[in-house]
Amino acid sequence: TCFFIRSPKGFPKLKNDTFLRAARGEETEHTPVWCMRQAGRYLPEFRETRAAQDFFATCRSPKLCCELTLQRGWVWDYSIPGSSILPCPQALGMEVVMVPGKGPTFTEPLKEVEDLLKLRQKVDVTAELGYVFQAITLTRHSLEGKVPLSGAPWTLMSYMIEGGGSTTMAKAKSWLYRHPEASHRLLRLLADVVTDSLVGQVAAGAQALQLFESHAGHLGPEQFEDFALPYIRDIARAVKSKLKEEALPLVPMIIFAKDAHYALRELAHAGYEVVGLDWTIRPQDARAQTGKDVTLQGNLDPCALYAPKEKIGELVKKMLEGFGTQRYIANLGHGLYPDMSPEHVGAFVEAVHAHSRHINKH
């Protein structure tokens, strides 16, 4: 059992609640916007600050996480400290290093079912992930109430078995076919740690939560239904139950399962207020599949930011007309790329705000 501190007192009053209102399905004056991998992928000042720092050393420094989160302050409607996902496998006892040009790498990935015995079976997230919670608290205080901030099992499992990124996920998927029971044991363990981590982030001051199932596209409908969707549902249910038990705010939750078009109807009823979309589905089709009771998030092709600024504005206008400006959070269909121009990212944000205000007015 994990015991969480109450949400720290004295947070500045929130000045921009547009994102939170959109997530809850309330009317907004403009469409809120944020980007995944907001700073770490493309801001020169972020890369310069982190150049002399080991990635996970940075993650474990609440002060540095806060500084990096606040860099280059476009008028974001949402902001995320960058240390809240990969530390979960670390909390289970696995060593992860960030290899330049390769990304997160597990020095000793899981190879056999017996390797599950090496993992911690009970995790005190307050002790193991305290630095994540401290970074969230510090960032929310530093944002002075201007922007709300945030802090998934199959994706984590795939990293832990593959040892890093993979184009096929063949090693991880082979577990699903060869070792289904062991796969469920690992997924349950991860779901429990993710749940406690998310609750801890709310206790630390997070006002919304997003669950990334970035590798959903490697699963077909049957495997997704067996090995991903149950844990996605369980996390939403368990997080909300524990938030009630701890008398913490019931914050909006977002599920982003990349390439899981076949499961949009199920995801819309999985217990999340917001469903994130990648760029390979039309807004109208997504609305038709998810209904009117959830907010949608997405879904501009990230590569659109390589276009001239005028073209970015045109694409944003078309996207807003497809989704509508209400029950909608603008975002890219995935994360920013390292060589993207900060000015073009700014043009994207400004276009969302300007066009959505114009559409709402007329």
Side-chain angles (χ1 to χ4, degrees), residues 122-137:
K122 292 186 178 181
V123 177
D124 182 347
V125 298
T126 304
E128 298 294 334
L129 302 179
Y131 59 92
V132 174
F133 307 146
Q134 292 170 31
I136 289 172
T137 299

Side-chain angles (χ1 to χ4, degrees), residues 302-342:
C303 288
L305 297 193
Y306 293 123
K309 293 181 182 178
E310 297 76 16
K311 181 63 174 179
I312 293 173
E314 294 173 11
L315 293 169
V316 165
K317 181 174 182 290
K318 183 177 180 181
M319 181 175 72
L320 286 166
E321 289 171 347
F323 281 109
T325 60
Q326 302 300 317
R327 268 205 178 277
Y328 174 54
I329 296 166
N331 205 323
L332 302 178
H334 202 240
L336 294 159
Y337 300 156
D339 60 347
M340 285 180 166
S341 163

Side-chain angles (χ1 to χ4, degrees), residues 53-278:
Q53 300 283 337
D54 170 76
F55 176 81
F56 288 108
T58 302
C59 287
R60 290 188 177 90
S61 169
K63 184 173 183 292
L64 268 177
C65 273
C66 176
E67 290 175 2
L68 295 175
T69 302
L70 297 176
Q71 284 178 341
R72 191 67 70 98
W74 302 118
V75 188
W76 298 108
D77 295 285
Y78 189 49
S79 182
I80 301 180
S83 62
S84 54
I85 300 297
L86 279 174
C88 288
Q90 290 177 309
L92 291 172
M94 296 192 73
E95 182 180 4
V96 191
V97 296
M98 189 62 70
V99 178
K102 185 179 179 182
T105 302
F106 289 79
T107 57
E108 295 185 22
L110 304 176
K111 296 180 180 179
E112 305 295 337
V113 172
E114 291 74 23
D115 291 338
L116 295 180
L117 298 175
K118 300 176 183 177
L119 302 177
R120 295 189 183 105
Q121 301 303 302
K122 292 186 178 181
V123 177
D124 182 347
V125 298
T126 304
E128 298 294 334
L129 302 179
Y131 59 92
V132 174
F133 307 146
Q134 292 170 31
I136 289 172
T137 299
L138 184 58
T139 304
R140 184 170 169 190
H141 276 295
S142 300
L143 285 170
E144 297 179 342
K146 296 176 184 174
V147 183
L149 64 89
S150 153
W154 155 246
T155 295
L156 292 175
M157 173 184 170
S158 66
Y159 272 114
M160 293 166 69
I161 294 174
E162 297 286 344
S166 167
T167 57
T168 64
M169 295 296 166
K171 294 178 183 177
K173 287 185 69 177
S174 74
W175 272 54
L176 305 183
Y177 286 107
R178 294 188 299 122
H179 310 301
E181 292 183 7
S183 295
H184 280 297
R185 289 206 307 273
L186 177 56
L187 290 164
R188 170 51 54 201
L189 185 60
L190 286 166
D192 290 344
V193 175
V194 169
T195 295
D196 287 344
S197 172
L198 292 175
V199 174
Q201 290 181 52
V202 176
Q207 293 166 285
L209 301 167
Q210 172 158 301
L211 189 67
F212 295 82
E213 193 68 282
S214 299
H215 294 167
H218 289 279
L219 303 176
E222 289 186 8
Q223 283 194 318
F224 186 83
E225 187 172 343
D226 287 344
F227 295 102
L229 189 59
Y231 301 99
I232 288 170
R233 287 172 173 153
D234 287 352
I235 287 170
R237 185 163 47 242
V239 165
K240 292 179 178 182
S241 175
K242 290 192 175 188
L243 291 177
K244 288 181 181 178
E245 291 174 9
E246 295 291 323
L248 291 168
L250 289 176
V251 303
M253 296 182 68
I254 308 165
I255 177 61
F256 176 65
K258 188 175 181 293
D259 294 322
H261 304 150
Y262 49 78
L264 280 182
R265 285 184 175 84
E266 290 79 5
L267 289 169
H269 296 91
Y272 296 77
E273 285 71 28
V274 184
V275 175
L277 305 167
D278 60 63

